[in-house]
Amino acid sequence: FISECRENIHQNKLKLLSACKGKFTIAETSLEVPILTLGCKDKGNLYEHFLKNGIITALGEEFTNLGENYVRLRIPSDIESLLERIEKMN
């Protein structure tokens, strides 16, 4: 079960990284870690930007050395809806 979970997270994170590349700054984490930290200097409050697009994240301000232009995103087991919403973000 754990091996399957790790592989699912790995595959979903690769898809999510591909969708976010070029749109956001991406903090490096292992592909088996089910979170992703994203940043963007020109979007202001990134938490609000994601929320407007129907994506719930954690405020970057809640983490050391991150500000409002960062968010932490959890990798869901069903990634397709999230990918569609990120693709529509500008």
Side-chain angles (χ1 to χ4, degrees):
F1 174 77
I2 292 175
S3 294
E4 286 179 35
C5 287
R6 284 184 176 156
E7 182 59 28
N8 187 38
I9 291 166
H10 180 98
Q11 294 303 317
N12 286 345
K13 193 165 185 177
L14 283 173
K15 291 176 188 177
L16 189 55
L17 286 169
S18 178
C20 292
K21 191 172 184 178
K23 291 184 177 194
F24 305 102
T25 302
I26 303 169
E28 187 174 332
T29 57
S30 168
L31 291 174
E32 294 179 349
V33 175
I35 61 162
L36 190 59
T37 302
L38 303 171
C40 190
K41 293 186 182 201
D42 65 350
K43 299 219 185 295
N45 187 320
L46 200 53
Y47 173 82
E48 291 294 330
H49 185 68
F50 271 82
L51 198 55
K52 286 178 187 174
N53 288 279
I55 302 170
I56 298 172
T57 62
L59 290 160
E61 296 169 310
E62 294 180 358
F63 302 95
T64 304
N65 297 326
L66 299 181
E68 71 172 11
N69 57 324
Y70 284 89
V71 294
R72 185 172 279 182
L73 180 62
R74 292 179 190 212
I75 313 296
S77 58
D78 181 13
I79 194 87
E80 297 308 317
S81 175
L82 177 58
L83 292 175
E84 290 172 13
R85 291 170 194 234
I86 287 179
E87 289 293 330
K88 292 178 184 176
M89 290 175 76
N90 49 10

